[in-house]
Amino acid sequence: MALALPQLPGLHSLPAPEHPELVAAPVAEALAAWPGAEGVAVVEIDPDLADTAAMSEAYDVPMAAGANCVVVAGKREGEERVAACLVRADTRADVNHIVKRLLDVRKPSFLPLERAVAESGMEYGGITPLGLPAGWRLLVDSRVADIDVAVIGSGLRRSKLLVPGSLLVQLPRAEVVEGLAS
């Protein structure tokens, strides 16, 4: 039995795997390879409203329905360690404690914008946990699972993905972390 396509009022849901033109290339590849993709929708939005707060206000989507993906890096003994952290939009990733401990680095910091965009193949404001580079860890706050329909990036600023939180914690390579965000 196919999963119902996620919907939110005011947004027109399309099956994401059937619309690769609405997502970044690495995201389209990830959707094609992931069995859970049948439960993922894509919605077109105004690219000027891609930032979570602006999108939430313009489309009347509660912040608690959003999930943000931030990319963090740090070094230990000359080795760089990178992780994408997926947290509810109404929280913040605990970079200085939890992420630091999980990456086992001295000083974690957000990956510079230019590097995050270049290495992910995604646009700023659209970086998403689907289709991340193989060397990056994917840390997912356990509370993301509780979001009925999570609004996440699509890799592009002109669209968003709608994904049940219960599917996000099942993403390939996802490490579900209790208390990743506060």
Side-chain angles (χ1 to χ4, degrees), residues 8-164:
L8 285 175
L11 297 169
H12 179 65
S13 292
L14 299 169
E18 296 174 21
H19 292 277
E21 75 281 3
L22 294 177
V23 300
V27 177
E29 290 173 24
L31 286 168
W34 182 41
E38 71 179 30
V40 179
V42 63
V43 296
E44 289 188 80
I45 63 163
D46 179 336
D48 292 333
L49 301 172
D51 295 329
T52 304
M55 193 264 180
S56 291
E57 185 177 334
Y59 294 96
D60 198 26
V61 174
M63 288 290 285
N68 290 334
C69 188
V70 296
V71 183
V72 179
K75 287 188 178 181
R76 169 69 95 193
E77 297 173 2
E79 174 196 347
E80 183 178 55
R81 299 168 186 187
V82 180
C85 303
L86 186 66
V87 300
R88 285 176 36 150
D90 60 352
T91 66
R92 298 178 82 91
D94 186 349
V95 173
N96 292 321
H97 299 99
I98 304 297
V99 177
K100 176 182 178 177
R101 179 176 50 80
L102 290 169
L103 289 180
D104 190 27
V105 296
R106 292 180 46 123
K107 185 176 183 237
S109 59
F110 294 104
L111 196 66
L113 168 68
E114 298 78 21
R115 268 195 66 201
V117 167
E119 291 180 21
S120 70
M122 301 178 203
E123 296 175 353
Y124 174 71
I127 293 179
T128 190
L130 284 153
L132 294 170
W136 293 7
R137 289 176 66 184
L138 174 57
L139 307 176
V140 181
D141 185 78
S142 61
R143 289 174 286 178
V144 168
D146 299 331
I147 304 172
D148 289 332
V149 177
V151 179
I152 64 171
S154 68
L156 303 176
R157 291 184 62 84
R158 65 184 183 100
S159 61
K160 294 286 185 182
L161 296 177
L162 305 183
V163 187

